Amino acid sequence: MSPRSSLPLTIEYALLGLLRPQPGYGYEIYRQLADPTGLGLVWRVKQSKVYALLDKLEQRGYVSQTLEPQESLPPRKMFALTELGRRAFLDWAQSPVDRGRGFRLDFLAKFYFARQEGDTVARTLLERQQAACRNWLAEQQILAEGLADSHPFDWLVHQFRISQIKAMLDWLNTCREL
């Protein structure tokens, strides 16, 4: 198994983030994740997937589970963040995404949680992501150099990536102005 496949997925980190303020049960967590004014703008996830991911996070030691009795209903599984889960979430939430393809899902989720942590955390994440984007931009510009005549398709691909990175930087600037 590759080391990458053992790392939690962005959505798993988001589940940890939803449990950070307080423990919750599966359906409640699903509703928060599906909220169309929050993370529901980023993902569409089936309720059964949320339950499966919570079980996976428990197996990895990121969350713990207790049963909460309910009157005339079966006991409810309550999930709480463990110290390992709290550290993993904070490490993830404060680091920029490492490639452009992760920007749409990963960065938006990180930024959602960073804003909940406060202006300083959100601003720090924005600054780190801008620095990462500037590095990507410089790499793409170097790679594109001199390709227009000899390898026009390669040049066009790099130009496409350059435009995407510039758009990301513009959007990150907009975020800083709010």
Side-chain angles (χ1 to χ4, degrees), residues 13 16 57-63 81-91:
Y13 284 116
L16 297 177
L57 289 169
E58 182 182 17
Q59 291 169 7
R60 290 185 171 168
Y62 291 113
V63 299
L81 210 52
T82 64
E83 188 54 37
L84 179 64
R86 187 175 315 285
R87 283 193 316 266
F89 171 76
L90 288 173
D91 288 347

Side-chain angles (χ1 to χ4, degrees), residues 111 126 130 167-178:
F111 190 53
L126 287 170
Q130 285 176 310
M168 289 176 204
L169 283 164
D170 287 345
W171 182 80
L172 289 166
N173 283 330
T174 300
C175 292
R176 289 184 68 152
E177 294 168 5
L178 290 179

Side-chain angles (χ1 to χ4, degrees), residues 137-154:
L137 183 60
E139 288 171 11
Q140 288 301 314
Q141 289 169 332
I142 289 168
L143 291 171
E145 225 172 84
L147 290 177
D149 293 330
S150 59
H151 297 89
F153 181 75
D154 295 6

